[in-house]
Amino acid sequence: MSYQNILSATKDGITTITINRPNKLNALNKDTIQELHDAFKEANKDKNTKVIIVTGSGEKAFVAGADISEFADFNVENGGKLAAKGQELLFDYVANLSTPVIAAVNGFALGGGLELAMACHFRVASDNAKMGLPEVSLGVIPGYGGTQRLPQLVGKGRAMEMIMTAGMIDAETAKSYGLVNHVTTQEELLSLCEKIAGKIMRNSSVAIKAAIKAVNANYKDGVNGFEVEIKQFGKCFGTEDFTEGTTAFLEKRKAEFPGK
Ligand code: COA
């Protein structure tokens, strides 16, 4: 598939999706959101993709937010639709993807950019990264899940302060908040993400898919996460990966998971 605003490349089990509008600090316009949806969908279907990494092109930004020029003249109805469509196509979509998604936060992750990073399964940042939800400085609130995912990741008090001040935090602060898992140099960001992806790929993709479902269930209204865990746990016993994993352990050899 060919894209105008993003790049997607698959190598050694990893699909790297790069948001490629460096002149606009990779701001998410409508077309970019649609292309990201298509690329994530494609990668999730692809048998050769075990892990997805999403990053921004250039040295300055992961994503500097939703494209402000596209919504400056919106009314109440348009605004609601923008948020709903974005969440459906990208943010909730990524959060619920069965393939692990790592955000490689290589610079500014603001507004929709931080919301995209937070929708990913976890985040690694370069030491120049700056993160924040500046929406109230524009007279709106985060609309791509930021008011929900930020408190889940950093706690209510820190999220309230970040949202109300519209300020930015640096990568080390983000790490101390638990917003990113690791901080490294910009040069080593992708290789660190690939190293972590390598560790993920050694494990059963079927079990990982079940684990994502169970963890996410904790954050869904009206869903009992413990029940989802019990169901997913039980289902694992019917998979070829489980047979291989346990047999390999007992035979004292490395498991070769068929991914079924
Ligand atoms: N939407 C649309 N365009 C954006 C953008 C966004 N969210 N963020 C940056 N850009 C564009 C700028 O308009 C500029 O375009 P131009 O060269 O055609 O004028 C280009 O990207 C470079 O940005 P610039 O502001 O010149 O870079 P900077 O280094 O001076 O500042 C930021 C960097 C991130 C501090 C600043 O761009 C910014 O505050 N962006 C908006 C962040 C935001 O509020 N995001 C939440 C949106 S809901």
Side-chain angles (χ1 to χ4, degrees):
M1 213 179 267
S2 75
Y3 302 106
Q4 302 302 313
N5 302 301
I6 66 167
L7 307 166
S8 181
T10 304
K11 191 173 166 236
D12 300 333
I14 302 171
T15 293
T16 304
I17 298 174
T18 308
I19 301 149
N20 192 28
R21 298 181 76 212
N23 295 340
K24 294 289 172 192
L25 303 187
N26 304 319
L28 296 175
N29 62 4
K30 199 166 148 247
D31 292 348
T32 307
I33 288 179
Q34 183 63 54
E35 289 188 6
L36 283 167
H37 172 84
D38 296 341
F40 277 111
K41 190 172 182 181
E42 191 80 9
N44 198 46
K45 273 195 306 194
D46 175 18
K47 290 271 168 285
N48 295 320
T49 297
K50 305 291 179 206
V51 177
I52 301 169
I53 297 173
V54 60
T55 193
S57 86
E59 292 184 353
K60 215 167 153 183
F62 173 69
V63 170
D67 192 319
I68 299 168
S69 65
E70 272 192 350
F71 62 74
D73 60 353
F74 273 15
N75 61 21
V76 171
E77 195 192 344
N78 300 147
K81 279 189 183 155
L82 178 78
K85 190 84 187 156
Q87 299 212 34
E88 180 197 327
L89 280 180
L90 185 57
F91 301 84
D92 283 348
Y93 190 77
V94 167
N96 291 302
L97 223 57
S98 56
T99 307
V101 187
I102 307 173
V105 181
N106 59 309
F108 288 115
L110 302 174
L114 181 56
E115 288 170 306
L116 176 59
M118 292 193 294
C120 296
H121 296 130
F122 61 91
R123 291 141 293 284
V124 179
S126 54
D127 49 19
N128 63 313
K130 292 258 172 9
M131 284 156 260
L133 293 178
E135 284 86 348
V136 298
S137 72
L138 297 165
V140 287
I141 66 165
Y144 288 145
T147 64
Q148 306 304 297
R149 291 197 176 99
L150 189 62
Q152 286 165 6
L153 286 163
V154 307
K156 187 175 169 185
R158 284 168 171 162
M160 284 289 199
E161 184 178 338
M162 283 179 69
I163 291 168
M164 289 176 191
T165 61
M168 295 183 206
I169 57 170
D170 63 19
E172 281 302 335
T173 308
K175 188 178 164 201
S176 75
Y177 280 12
L179 184 53
V180 304
N181 293 5
H182 309 276
V183 177
T184 184
T185 60
Q186 198 164 38
E187 296 71 42
E188 283 169 16
L189 179 63
L190 282 182
S191 60
L192 175 57
C193 291
E194 285 159 7
K195 199 170 147 202
I196 299 168
K199 289 185 187 172
I200 294 173
M201 279 189 270
R202 282 185 226 140
N203 302 315
S204 157
S205 58
V206 184
I208 287 171
K209 185 175 172 176
I212 292 172
K213 265 198 190 136
V215 173
N216 278 345
N218 188 30
Y219 303 97
K220 295 207 162 105
D221 269 352
V223 175
N224 183 321
F226 289 99
E227 279 171 14
V228 174
E229 184 186 271
I230 289 166
K231 192 167 162 222
Q232 292 298 325
F233 179 79
K235 273 175 81 177
C236 290
F237 287 75
T239 67
E240 290 179 31
D241 276 13
F242 172 74
T243 308
E244 168 60 9
T246 46
T247 306
F249 177 81
L250 295 172
E251 291 175 355
K252 299 190 187 305
R253 61 172 174 81
K254 222 172 130 241
E256 294 289 341
F257 290 111
K260 288 189 229 165

